């Protein structure tokens, strides 16, 4: 704690002197990064080409941990559990309905309606989920006692990797339609006809409360 406080004091002095204006460190969740984070980072760099930048893509829980350790300036991730953290300031950015998707020849698509029980028979390829979603989320999931997250049968961090898995197997995944628009149009993926009110991704900015942010 003393070391963190010392680093924070040195950082604030640099910002006051104008030495911290050209630095920015951001950790993004995989979905917010793909929806708008990567594009936003490119636009910032186009306006500030001399910016020293650190961009990390990590799970929602890791983003929160990095903020608590003050190792990043800004988080951009799923807001669910972070909203309960009294040390973090939250700013909502977007809300997207998501869908489950699979390869076109998947056995599930032979059914006009698909229940959670039918989806539970197939592996889910996804990032770790908040524990509160475990009772509702379909697919093969595992939840360790004492931890507030659920682990899919195929745990991934890279969304591109998960899509390759889905093309070659009977696994399925989740995404906002915007993320897989091209693949849906060219027939690479098909939407699974399973919908529920809780299938919404809420994401936004988060940063350590009362911490001096860099001008950038």
């Amino acid at each position: 704690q003393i070391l963190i406080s010392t680093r924070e004091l040195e950082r604030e002095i640099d910002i006051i002197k104008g030495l911290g204006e050209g630095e920015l460190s951001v950790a993004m969740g995989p979905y917010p990064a793909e929806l708008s984070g990567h594009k936003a980072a490119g636009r910032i760099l186009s306006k500030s080409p001399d910016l020293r930048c650190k961009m990390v893509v990590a799970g929602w829980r890791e983003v929160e941990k990095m903020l608590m350790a003050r190792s990043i300036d800004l988080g951009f991730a799923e807001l669910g559990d972070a909203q309960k953290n009294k040390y973090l300031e939250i700013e909502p950015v977007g809300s997207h309905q998501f869908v489950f998707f699979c390869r076109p020849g998947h056995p599930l698509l032979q059914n006009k309606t698909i229940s959670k029980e039918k989806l539970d028979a197939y592996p889910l390829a996804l990032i770790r989920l908040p524990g509160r979603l475990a009772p509702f989320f379909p697919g093969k999931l595992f939840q360790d006692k004492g931890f507030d997250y659920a682990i899919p049968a195929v745990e991934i961090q890279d969304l591109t990797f998960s899509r390759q898995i889905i093309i070659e197997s009977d696994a399925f995944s989740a995404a906002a339609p915007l993320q897989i628009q091209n693949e849906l149009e060219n027939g690479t993926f098909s939407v699974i006809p399973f919908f529920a009110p809780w299938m919404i991704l809420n994401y936004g900015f988060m940063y350590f409360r009362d911490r001096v942010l860099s001008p950038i």
Side-chain angles (χ1 to χ4, degrees):
Q1 188 60 45
I2 292 173
L3 289 172
I4 290 174
S5 298
T6 302
R7 287 199 304 267
E8 285 293 288
L9 181 60
E10 291 173 344
R11 176 181 172 278
E12 290 183 18
I13 291 171
D14 286 343
I15 290 174
I16 292 170
K17 289 180 177 180
L19 302 177
E21 293 184 2
E23 297 184 5
L24 178 66
S25 57
V26 182
M28 307 182 193
Y31 285 93
E34 192 171 83
L35 284 164
S36 59
H38 290 157
K39 184 181 289 186
R43 289 181 178 178
I44 289 173
L45 287 168
S46 71
K47 294 179 180 180
S48 306
D50 295 328
L51 178 67
R52 182 180 176 184
C53 202
K54 176 185 177 183
M55 297 286 173
V56 179
V57 176
W60 53 274
R61 179 60 73 204
E62 284 68 35
V63 172
E64 189 174 344
K65 287 179 179 178
M66 283 187 272
L67 283 168
M68 294 301 294
R70 272 79 121 206
S71 60
I72 57 170
D73 298 314
L74 192 64
F76 187 53
E78 203 269 337
L79 295 177
D81 290 352
Q83 295 178 96
K84 303 174 186 176
N85 191 325
K86 64 180 181 180
Y87 296 104
L88 298 182
E89 196 72 39
I90 301 296
E91 292 185 17
V93 171
S95 181
H96 289 269
Q97 184 83 37
F98 66 83
V99 297
F100 293 108
F101 66 95
C102 60
R103 63 180 179 84
H106 199 289
L108 279 169
L109 299 179
Q110 297 173 9
N111 304 284
K112 291 183 179 180
T113 59
I114 298 173
S115 64
K116 180 182 182 299
E117 288 70 27
K118 288 179 180 177
L119 280 168
D120 285 345
Y122 295 93
L124 174 68
L126 207 62
I127 61 174
R128 289 187 177 189
L129 300 167
R132 57 186 166 81
L133 291 179
F136 313 104
F137 227 89
K140 293 180 179 177
L141 286 171
F142 304 92
Q143 192 164 14
D144 293 337
K145 291 182 179 179
F147 292 92
D148 58 349
Y149 52 76
I151 304 173
V154 183
E155 183 185 358
I156 55 96
Q157 294 294 338
D158 186 331
L159 299 182
T160 302
F161 182 37
S162 72
R163 289 164 195 168
Q164 290 298 318
I165 291 172
I166 289 162
I167 290 172
E168 302 293 340
S169 71
D170 284 341
F172 69 98
S173 190
L178 179 67
Q179 293 176 270
I180 53 172
Q181 183 176 350
N182 292 336
E183 289 87 348
L184 291 174
E185 290 176 354
N186 64 29
T188 303
F189 296 137
S190 296
V191 172
I192 297 172
F194 176 91
F195 304 98
W198 52 264
M199 291 170 58
I200 296 176
L201 171 67
N202 295 306
Y203 63 95
F205 295 119
M206 53 187 79
Y207 50 91
F208 201 85
R209 185 166 288 168
D210 299 327
R211 189 183 196 224
V212 177
L213 294 177
S214 67
I216 194 68

